[in-house]
């Protein structure tokens, strides 16, 4: 029925949404001039000193401009001011707080002739035509960088694991307990205290009777071998003559 048809979405070409709104007289043909004035009023509101309301920092950027804000941002600003108790009105029905009055005036101008519809349509066109493609490109670039960083992380993790294994192997060869890197110098210096007993043990073995006998036997064997070699060489030389 008619009621069901009223709930169906309207298929409008995005780039012609403002034209569609004007053709159906949902916004006035002069909405462009009205929006310029609204943006001017937003700039005046932004130029005023902000009251200490925490929510305003969440709604308004660090250095906002009139072009950064939409009708819905302005509504949120006014709601935050009301919640902060800055919405008192005088006997004429106007806001007593000058900052609140500025934003209330902005919203009134937005809603006059429903020009906020035209502003919202322009915002959607801007976001879909330029901002979203830019964000997609930025996301692709970020994903590519993330993949490269993850690859490097995996490579560095493997290198670190290999270095750790080699470090443990070197510690085992030198009979050093595994330790932190900054402790290795002290551990190596401590190992030098093991050398004097080893040297004394070797010196004692060198002076033992067994080693002296073995040395004498080796010296006698070398002398005998040299004398035999010399005799053989002499006999060979005589035979040649």
């Amino acid at each position: 029925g008619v009621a069901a048809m009223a709930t169906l979405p309207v298929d409008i070409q995005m780039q012609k949404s403002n034209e569609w709104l004007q053709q159906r007289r949902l916004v006035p043909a002069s909405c462009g001039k009205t929006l310029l004035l609204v943006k001017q009023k937003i700039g005046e509101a932004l130029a005023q000193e902000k009251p200490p309301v925490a929510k305003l920092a969440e709604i308004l950027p660090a250095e906002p401009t009139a072009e950064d804000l939409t009708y819905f941002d302005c509504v949120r600003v006014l709601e935050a001011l009301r919640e902060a108790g800055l919405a008192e009105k005088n006997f004429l029905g106007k806001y007593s707080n000058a900052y609140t009055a500025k934003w209330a005036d902005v919203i009134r101008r937005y809603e006059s002739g429903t020009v906020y519809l035209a502003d919202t349509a322009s915002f959607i066109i801007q976001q879909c035509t330029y901002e979203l493609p830019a964000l997609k490109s930025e996301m692709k670039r970020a994903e590519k960088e993330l993949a490269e960083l993850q690859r490097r992380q995996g490579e560095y993790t493997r290198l670190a694991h290999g270095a750790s294994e080699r470090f443990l192997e070197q510690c085992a060869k030198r009979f050093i307990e595994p330790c932190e890197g900054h402790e290795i110098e002290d551990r190596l210096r401590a190992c030098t205290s093991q050398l004097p007993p080893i040297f004394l043990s070797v010196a004692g073995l060198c002076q033992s009777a067994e080693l002296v006998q073995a040395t004498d036997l080796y010296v006698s064997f070398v002398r005998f071998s040299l004398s035999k070699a010399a005799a053989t060489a002499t006999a060979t030389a005589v035979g040649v003559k």
Side-chain angles (χ1 to χ4, degrees):
V2 177
M5 291 180 64
T7 61
L8 294 175
V10 181
D11 188 8
I12 306 170
Q13 187 176 352
M14 182 183 66
Q15 298 293 345
K16 296 183 178 180
S17 54
N18 267 324
E19 182 181 343
W20 185 90
L21 289 170
Q22 291 180 19
Q23 287 176 350
R24 282 150 184 80
R25 298 182 180 180
L26 296 174
V27 297
S30 61
C31 63
K33 294 181 180 179
T34 305
L35 284 174
L36 288 176
L37 181 59
V38 171
K39 294 297 182 182
Q40 180 183 344
K41 293 297 181 181
I42 292 176
E44 294 175 2
L46 291 173
Q48 286 195 328
E49 184 178 356
K50 288 190 298 184
V53 178
K55 277 192 175 182
L56 291 181
E58 301 174 6
I59 302 169
L60 300 175
E63 296 180 359
T65 64
E67 299 303 323
D68 295 330
L69 303 180
T70 65
Y71 164 75
F72 302 100
D73 295 321
C74 298
V75 170
R76 291 175 62 201
V77 169
L78 185 59
E79 288 177 353
L81 294 171
R82 287 171 176 168
E83 291 175 2
L86 300 176
E88 293 182 0
K89 294 183 179 181
N90 55 29
F91 68 96
L92 296 176
K94 295 183 178 181
Y95 288 101
S96 302
N97 183 277
Y99 193 79
T100 305
K102 282 286 186 182
W103 287 102
D105 180 55
V106 167
I107 293 171
R108 181 183 62 80
R109 292 175 185 274
Y110 257 131
E111 293 176 349
S112 177
T114 62
V115 295
Y116 69 91
L117 293 176
D119 184 59
T120 303
S122 298
F123 176 78
I124 293 173
I125 293 171
Q126 173 73 18
Q127 295 296 312
C128 294
T129 306
Y130 302 104
E131 300 300 332
L132 286 179
L135 285 174
K136 287 181 179 179
S137 298
E138 187 69 16
M139 285 178 62
K140 288 182 179 179
R141 186 189 63 80
E143 288 172 354
K144 185 176 179 181
E145 288 185 0
L146 177 61
E148 175 63 17
L149 291 173
Q150 289 175 338
R151 184 192 66 80
R152 290 184 183 180
Q153 182 184 25
E155 180 180 350
Y156 295 152
T157 300
R158 289 191 297 272
L159 290 174
H161 182 69
S164 178
E165 288 184 345
R166 290 192 297 274
F167 176 73
L168 294 176
E169 289 175 1
Q170 293 299 320
C171 287
K173 286 181 180 180
R174 289 161 177 77
F175 303 101
I176 300 175
E177 291 293 331
C179 58
E180 298 294 332
H182 65 275
E183 298 176 337
I184 190 64
E185 182 178 356
D186 294 336
R187 296 291 181 91
L188 289 173
R189 290 183 182 278
C191 289
T192 58
S193 62
Q194 302 173 9
L195 295 178
I198 295 175
F199 292 159
L200 290 174
S201 175
V202 172
L205 292 174
C206 291
Q207 297 173 1
S208 65
E210 293 83 357
L211 185 59
V212 171
Q213 291 176 0
T215 303
D216 292 341
L217 178 61
Y218 177 74
V219 170
S220 299
F221 172 74
V222 170
R223 287 175 178 173
F224 174 77
S225 298
L226 291 174
S227 62
K228 289 287 292 182
T232 302
T234 301
T236 303
V238 172
V240 172
K241 289 181 180 180

